[in-house]
Every structure is written in C-alpha cells, then in structure tokens.
Amino acid sequence: MAILPTAVSRPVPSLEAAGACAACAIRELSVCSVLSANELTRLCTIISTVNLDAGRTVINEGEPAGDLFNVVRGSVKLYKLLSDGRRQVTGFLFPGDFLGIALNDTYAYSGEAIEPLQLCRFPRKKLETLLAELPRLERKLLGTTAHELAAAQDQMVLLGRKTAKERVASFLVSLSERAVKRRRPALPLDVPMSRTDIADFLGLTTETVSRTLTQLRQARLIATSQRNRIDILDPEGLMELVDGATDH
Amino acid sequence: MAILPTAVSRPVPSLEAAGACAACAIRELSVCSVLSANELTRLCTIISTVNLDAGRTVINEGEPAGDLFNVVRGSVKLYKLLSDGRRQVTGFLFPGDFLGIALNDTYAYSGEAIEPLQLCRFPRKKLETLLAELPRLERKLLGTTAHELAAAQDQMVLLGRKTAKERVASFLVSLSERAVKRRRPALPLDVPMSRTDIADFLGLTTETVSRTLTQLRQARLIATSQRNRIDILDPEGLMELVDGATDH
DNA sequence: CGACTCGTTGACTCTCTTCAAGGATAGTGG
DNA sequence: CCACTATCCTTGAAGAGAGTCAACGAGTCG
C-alpha cells in the first residue's frame, strides 16, 4: 500500500451481520476487504447490483461520473479513443477490481464488458459521504490507485520500449499472474478478450499479435488448444522474453 | 480530485504561524496547499531541505523507499530501465510536484535531477504517522495520485497509438500547459531536458525527435531561438496535431 | 586550443503496418 | 441437421515509418 505499506488491521467480520455484502464472493479481492462487519453493513446499504451483456458499455469517457463499480463477475476493457478512431486499451479488469475513480466529475476513459458482467454499483455521492466515515476504505482506495499507477508505468515501458514478441509475452505472463492472484487456475490461461483488444492494449495490430502468437507456438512456449484459452508450456522461457527490470 | 471532486475547504493560513513552510514559494502548487496554518506547522517539524546537482540521483528503482519529496526548484526525470539498458522515461517533475509514492517498501522507478534541484524531504515513517492526523493531506495525496494515473493513461495513448509528429506536438503542448499552471511564462517554452530524455519519454530515438522538431520548425509551428528554449509560433496548429484528427 | 557532449542530418535497414485473401468458429433459421 | 452468414483469426506479400549506423557542426569546459 502506498504511503502506508504496513498492514491495515481489520476486525474479523462476522458474516451474519453484514447483509448481502457478507456473502460477496469477491469481497476479499476487492476494496471492501479492509472493512469490518459493521462498516460492511453500512456500505451494503448504498450498493446495487448491475448485470450487463458482453459488449455493453459500463462507463463512457467524458460523461458525468455518477457511479463507481466493483467487478463481481466477468471482465471489462478500459480504453481511450483518438478523434480519428484509433484506440488504446489502457487496462483489463477482472472480479475484485475497482472501476470509476475520476479526476473531476467525468470519467477519464470508457469501459466495456468483454464477457457477461456482474457489477456492484456505488453511487458516487453516497460513497463520498460514507468515505469520510470509513478512513480504512479511503486509505485502501489510495493503495488501489497507487497500484494502478504502477501498472500504468509498467505498461509505458512496454509500449515505449518493448518489441512485439516481448509485449505479447509480457501480456501472457501478466494475465497468468493475475489469474493466480484471483485464485483461479493458471492453466489453461483464460483469455477472454479478442485479438483486436489485445492489439489495442499492446500498441500493435491484430495481425502482429496473431503472428507473434504463432511464433511463440512454434517455439513451443505456448499452445492454443481452444478458443479463448492459451496454455503456457514454458513459463520460464516466456518470462525471459518479458525482460528483467519490471517487477510484478 | 478523485472520489471527492468537491473543493476541500481550507482555513486561511496565517503565514507567521507556520515556520519555514509558511514562506515556501511552491506551497500553493503542492500537496501542502490543503493544510491549515496549524497543520503546516506540524508538517514543518518533520521536513528538511535537500539540494542536488544536475544529473544526481534522487531515488533509485528497487531501493528502500525511505523518503518522499516535494520539488521546490529545478526539474526531475522519472524512468524505468529494462535489463539490457533500454529506458522509458515515465514522467518529468517540476516545482510543486510530489515524488516517491510507493506501492511497497521500495521505489517503483528512478528519479534524476535534470537541473540543479531543491527538494523538500519527508521521512516516510514520520509522514505516515502524521498522515493519520491530517485527513486533508491524505485526501490530497489520493487526488495527486489519481491525477498522475490520468496522465499515465494519456501517455499510454501517446506511446501506443500516436505518430512521431503527434508525440512531439503532444509533448510540447503538455509542457506549455504545465508552465501555465505553474504561473511561468509559456513563451518561450523552457525545455530543460535533453533530446535523449525526450526520446525516452516519447518512445522514440533522439534522431527521430530531432528530425520531427525540424519538421515542425519548417512548418512554422515552432522556432528554436536558443538552447533549451522552444517558441511555439502556432499553438492552434500544434494543437491540431495532438489528437490526431488531421495529420500528415 | 583540443576534447567532449549534444544536437542535427543523411543513407540505409528493419520491424511492424497495411492491404488482401482464405480459414475457422459460432450463431441463425429453415 | 445442415447450409448460410458474420465475425474472428491466421497467413502472405508489399510498403512505410521509425530505427540504426555514420558523419558533422555547435557549443562547453578544462
């Protein structure tokens, strides 16, 4: 955690006391993990659940930032557009990830469901009020934001200085690490996003992504058994392509 | 500001009461701007001033994050390295900017003085303690971090999707905007960093940066009167290159 | 003055893009 | 169950934008 890396002590929550939030499958992965049972109960009063089909927009760059969200199920791509349509995907979100922190009153980027999506919605005004009374949550948000910033800086290194092969390898390793953090099976790796999304995330074209995956397959580093699944056959070999200095 | 865009009310500081911090020339530009006179006095007890020559290292990626800093005078480049020496500059800091927020106990990137540098140093442990008692400061740090994150996302768009000409134009416009925010003369634009630094920031080579500046000069968009100075002759023309609507 | 660094320019190379086509996959409706 | 279609993915050939290698000029410092 950012300025305060020391662990934030959290009272053990008694599940019965916290309503729907107590049963939340991704609570321990989310910002809510720092809350006590009592605090969780309070937070629980302002939230609502949202379900979206794949391809639906969650938030839109430039529009008023009325809500913030926790991803409960599914995945989201975040992106920014240039006026001529060029797109840069700035990140992917998975269950437990937080969405919607805005600098001013408008969203700074767009978000779209990749798979069928379940979200936990926090009305911003209500969350702001509550935040003043939940310093642990505010501190956790600072940590989350600092974490996102660090990830963004790693991505700058990737976009500014890495080759296509290094970018694709970095992407696969990073997906794999996130799957582990979410306690999901790391193999076969779940790759819900399209080649276009991956290309727009890595600053490449779909063709280059496809060709590079073929290269990695021919080098026996990966295998593609089924659609949206990639097997990492040689994690160390892939890691070597990621190149040193970036830590995860 | 991030979750709480509404202005944070701040008692008018009485300059006499706050010691050295009260006379700080960049206080209003920095995170300290949210503090009352009393709070400023408290913060003042833990800080010290550091002076560094150009080229000296402020922080080093991977080393224990013992201190945080405010830039008082001069400028800093932040960067990350790949193991083979490739470098990505992730940002430049100017007076008022804050430096050193770390995810864990080590710095996530390196920082080096571009010009002779004056810093205000906060020992991290002491700042952490104080932070618990200064919620306004903590909230301000969240805002600062969210702002850096937004800048990082803009940079991702630049690195992933913009042409060399658009990158250089974006860089100049961004420098100009920051000069205005710091109440400094926007013309001629002060460009303290080397071509190598600019190239490593924009994901290009020094040669490409140089050639692109020549292009912009030949197009009468800019003029280079003296070293480390660039005149923007046609702000609108430059602006048009930033978002990629009409280029080439 | 000479050595050094930094910035500019030129010629050539190369990685990735662009343009084009074909193949795989999933969903739809008869 | 199988065409029919749309979309996604893959592969090939050609092209372009930026990189590499190299040389030179300008300013700086001992």
Side-chain angles (χ1 to χ4, degrees):
Chain A
M1 150 85 209
I3 308 291
L4 298 121
T6 40
V8 178
S9 68
R10 177 175 59 82
V12 176
S14 65
L15 292 182
E16 306 77 34
C21 283
C24 177
I26 54 101
R27 191 180 72 245
E28 287 301 317
L29 296 170
S30 76
V31 292
C32 304
S33 65
V34 298
L35 298 176
S36 70
N38 281 345
E39 291 169 337
L40 205 57
T41 307
R42 301 198 55 187
L43 188 62
C44 199
T45 62
I46 71 166
I47 65 161
S48 55
T49 294
V50 180
N51 284 283
L52 289 176
D53 292 336
R56 300 302 299 271
T57 296
V58 181
I59 62 175
N60 225 331
E61 182 179 356
E63 289 189 355
D67 298 302
L68 298 96
F69 303 90
N70 254 337
V71 177
V72 177
R73 193 165 36 80
S75 51
V76 177
K77 64 183 172 204
L78 307 178
Y79 61 90
K80 291 170 78 85
L81 293 172
L82 292 176
S83 54
D84 63 357
R86 279 175 289 175
R87 195 176 65 143
Q88 179 65 38
V89 170
T90 56
F92 296 105
L93 299 183
F94 298 103
D97 292 337
F98 192 75
L99 164 67
I101 285 189
L103 256 186
N104 39 43
D105 288 349
T106 61
Y107 295 118
Y109 44 79
S110 302
E112 187 183 311
I114 294 175
E115 307 167 276
L117 189 65
Q118 184 180 342
L119 297 165
C120 173
R121 173 169 54 197
F122 306 88
R124 202 193 52 179
K125 296 285 185 196
K126 290 181 183 173
L127 184 62
E128 280 174 18
T129 309
L130 206 52
L131 219 49
E133 305 162 29
L134 302 175
R136 269 198 290 258
L137 185 56
E138 181 155 13
R139 177 152 299 175
K140 178 67 174 176
L141 282 180
L142 176 53
T144 300
T145 307
H147 194 277
E148 278 184 57
L149 180 58
Q153 287 164 343
D154 283 341
Q155 191 67 2
M156 284 194 233
V157 176
L158 182 149
L159 293 169
R161 287 295 176 236
K162 288 189 181 179
T163 65
K165 195 190 271 189
E166 289 165 348
R167 292 181 200 204
V168 173
S170 300
F171 174 67
L172 294 176
V173 168
S174 153
L175 266 191
S176 168
E177 286 171 348
R178 287 180 77 173
V180 170
K181 273 187 193 146
R182 280 162 43 230
R183 313 277 163 82
R184 304 308 296 279
L187 292 177
L189 191 60
D190 192 28
V191 185
M193 60 290 288
S194 70
R195 294 289 184 271
T196 304
D197 292 338
I198 298 172
D200 285 347
F201 181 58
L202 299 180
L204 302 170
T205 60
T206 61
E207 293 93 329
T208 300
V209 170
S210 191
R211 276 187 257 267
T212 306
L213 285 172
T214 300
Q215 269 188 285
L216 295 178
R217 197 185 312 117
Q218 288 168 346
R220 308 281 180 205
L221 293 172
I222 63 170
T224 51
S225 44
Q226 16 170 354
R227 202 184 181 79
N228 288 344
R229 292 275 188 288
I230 292 181
D231 272 289
I232 298 180
L233 302 179
D234 182 355
E236 281 96 33
L238 211 58
M239 214 73 106
E240 279 172 25
L241 289 177
V242 170
D243 204 325
T246 47
D247 44 13
H248 291 279
Chain B
M1 152 79 211
I3 307 291
L4 297 121
T6 40
V8 178
S9 68
R10 176 176 59 80
V12 177
S14 64
L15 293 182
E16 306 77 34
C21 283
C24 177
I26 54 100
R27 190 180 71 246
E28 287 302 316
L29 296 169
S30 75
V31 291
C32 304
S33 64
V34 297
L35 296 177
S36 70
N38 280 345
E39 291 168 337
L40 205 57
T41 307
R42 302 199 54 188
L43 188 62
C44 199
T45 63
I46 70 166
I47 64 160
S48 54
T49 295
V50 179
N51 284 284
L52 288 176
D53 293 335
R56 298 304 298 270
T57 297
V58 182
I59 61 174
N60 226 331
E61 181 179 356
E63 288 189 356
D67 298 301
L68 298 95
F69 303 90
N70 254 337
V71 177
V72 177
R73 193 166 36 79
S75 51
V76 177
K77 64 182 173 205
L78 307 178
Y79 61 91
K80 291 170 78 86
L81 294 172
L82 292 176
S83 54
D84 63 356
R86 279 175 289 176
R87 196 176 64 143
Q88 179 64 38
V89 170
T90 56
F92 297 105
L93 300 183
F94 298 103
D97 291 338
F98 192 75
L99 165 66
I101 285 188
L103 256 186
N104 38 42
D105 288 349
T106 61
Y107 294 118
Y109 44 80
S110 302
E112 186 183 311
I114 294 174
E115 307 167 277
L117 189 65
Q118 184 179 341
L119 297 165
C120 174
R121 172 170 53 197
F122 307 87
R124 202 193 53 179
K125 295 285 185 194
K126 291 181 182 174
L127 184 63
E128 281 174 18
T129 309
L130 206 52
L131 219 49
E133 305 162 30
L134 302 176
R136 270 197 290 259
L137 186 56
E138 181 156 14
R139 179 152 297 175
K140 178 68 173 175
L141 282 180
L142 175 54
T144 301
T145 307
H147 194 276
E148 279 184 58
L149 179 59
Q153 286 163 343
D154 283 341
Q155 192 67 2
M156 284 194 233
V157 177
L158 182 148
L159 293 170
R161 286 294 175 236
K162 288 189 181 179
T163 66
K165 194 190 272 188
E166 289 164 352
R167 293 181 200 205
V168 173
S170 300
F171 174 67
L172 294 176
V173 168
S174 151
L175 267 192
S176 169
E177 286 171 349
R178 287 180 77 174
V180 170
K181 274 187 193 148
R182 279 162 43 229
R183 312 277 164 81
R184 304 309 296 279
L187 292 177
L189 190 59
D190 193 27
V191 185
M193 59 291 286
S194 70
R195 293 289 184 271
T196 304
D197 292 338
I198 298 172
D200 285 347
F201 181 58
L202 299 180
L204 301 170
T205 61
T206 62
E207 292 93 331
T208 300
V209 170
S210 192
R211 276 188 259 266
T212 307
L213 285 172
T214 299
Q215 268 189 285
L216 296 178
R217 197 185 311 117
Q218 288 169 345
R220 308 281 179 203
L221 294 172
I222 63 170
T224 50
S225 44
Q226 16 169 353
R227 200 185 181 78
N228 287 344
R229 293 275 188 289
I230 293 181
D231 272 289
I232 297 180
L233 303 179
D234 182 356
E236 281 97 34
L238 211 58
M239 214 75 106
E240 279 172 25
L241 289 177
V242 170
D243 191 47
T246 50
D247 55 330
H248 306 293

